[in-house]
Amino acid sequence: MSVALQTFDLCKSFGGITATDHVDFTLAKGARHALIGPNGAGKTTFVNQLTGVLRPSSGRVELMGEDITTLPREARVGRGLARTFQINQLFGTMTPVEMIALVTSERLGRGRQPLRALDRDKELVAETAEILARFRLDDIMDERIATLPYGKQRQIEIAAAFAARPSVLLLDEPAAGVPEAERRELMAMVAGLPEDVSVLLIEHDMDLVFRFATRITVLVNGRLLADGTPSEIANDPAVRAAYLGEHSHG
């Protein structure tokens, strides 16, 4: 198995509270992987260490075999680690085409005036158009983001993260607050991303998790309780007792 992202003996303490407790985690290249656990399990703290928001108390984080444990957030993005948040981080006054062009322009080193560059930069135009089409944003690309339905805003946020061309994409509850009818479409877009993009989904919706993921990791009290296929996780007695209860999945 080729590895995209990995942690070794990762620990994070806040005073006398251990939020991440010696976690060894592996995200395979091309994976569609979900991280689950009850409230307070340590999922957000763990992901914050992956992305550089928090520095581990001990242990190591590697991206594509490179130690990134002490790298700042911006440097991790530059090396291919992108993230979305539970609450979207979009600029409401911008349009989708402006948002995608801004991220793409930054990645291509075109500076911070993407609309001017769109008039003359064929590469920027082509990449922006491809991403808008992939995420089915063509028909609303010139509308102000703040006026769009929440489900569309989540699509735009994922599209903007994808515009950074990550090798690893971390999605923090991307479907939270999105109407059920739009959730399947949103996650189908994510599942259909190129195979060289490894996806780690942090999610509470178990139906969504079991439809999307080919591998699932369970955190409880900051520790890795289980890691396996959806079938293995659904039938693990320890997982049932700690988290899933008696709700079964095929």
Side-chain angles (χ1 to χ4, degrees):
M1 178 184 67
S2 297
V3 176
L5 183 68
Q6 199 163 16
T7 70
F8 300 88
D9 204 28
L10 200 68
C11 297
K12 181 64 181 178
S13 298
F14 299 97
I17 299 174
T18 301
T20 306
D21 192 358
H22 301 280
V23 174
D24 293 316
F25 170 80
T26 298
L27 178 71
K29 287 184 180 178
R32 301 295 182 257
H33 196 133
L35 176 68
I36 66 173
N39 289 329
K43 301 186 298 298
T44 298
T45 299
F46 177 67
V47 171
N48 282 343
Q49 291 170 85
L50 299 181
T51 56
V53 176
L54 291 173
R55 182 169 293 191
S57 301
S58 61
R60 189 167 81 255
V61 181
E62 290 187 0
L63 176 67
M64 308 300 284
E66 177 187 3
D67 188 341
I68 62 168
T69 310
T70 61
L71 286 183
R73 283 176 280 183
E74 296 77 11
R76 298 183 196 213
V77 173
R79 283 168 171 75
L81 180 62
R83 176 188 185 179
T84 65
F85 293 82
Q86 291 180 24
I87 300 173
N88 75 55
Q89 306 289 305
L90 299 170
F91 298 111
T93 58
M94 299 183 77
T95 65
V97 68
E98 290 172 340
M99 188 78 203
I100 302 306
L102 175 64
V103 177
T104 304
S105 178
E106 284 287 300
R107 178 175 53 79
L108 294 174
R110 304 296 201 262
R112 296 180 176 274
Q113 296 181 317
L115 294 187
R116 293 184 184 180
L118 273 173
D119 292 335
R120 60 184 184 275
D121 191 324
K122 291 183 179 180
E123 184 180 11
L124 179 58
V125 169
E127 288 211 25
T128 300
E130 184 271 324
I131 294 168
L132 289 169
R134 174 182 290 279
F135 287 90
R136 301 173 194 170
L137 299 169
D138 313 62
D139 58 337
I140 58 166
M141 66 180 185
D142 293 318
E143 298 185 29
R144 197 160 61 89
I145 290 172
T147 67
L148 296 171
Y150 189 69
K152 287 297 182 184
Q153 293 185 21
R154 297 302 275 184
Q155 278 179 235
I156 295 164
E157 187 180 19
I158 296 171
F162 179 73
R165 298 299 188 196
S167 55
V168 174
L169 180 59
L170 307 182
L171 303 177
D172 196 348
E173 298 191 43
V178 177
E180 179 62 32
E182 299 173 33
R183 289 187 177 197
R184 288 179 180 267
E185 180 183 16
L186 181 68
M187 295 313 300
M189 291 179 191
V190 175
L193 290 177
E195 292 184 0
D196 59 355
V197 179
S198 308
V199 180
L200 177 61
L201 172 73
I202 301 91
E203 184 55 62
H204 283 289
D205 184 332
M206 289 299 99
D207 288 329
L208 187 154
V209 164
F210 279 86
R211 287 197 305 265
F212 171 79
T214 56
R215 194 160 194 87
I216 300 173
T217 296
V218 185
L219 280 183
V220 175
N221 296 324
R223 306 196 73 175
L224 196 155
L225 177 68
D227 183 275
T229 66
S231 178
E232 290 169 341
I233 294 301
N235 293 292
D236 188 314
V239 174
R240 286 181 174 275
Y243 185 59
L244 291 177
E246 294 304 314
H247 188 50
S248 62
H249 297 263

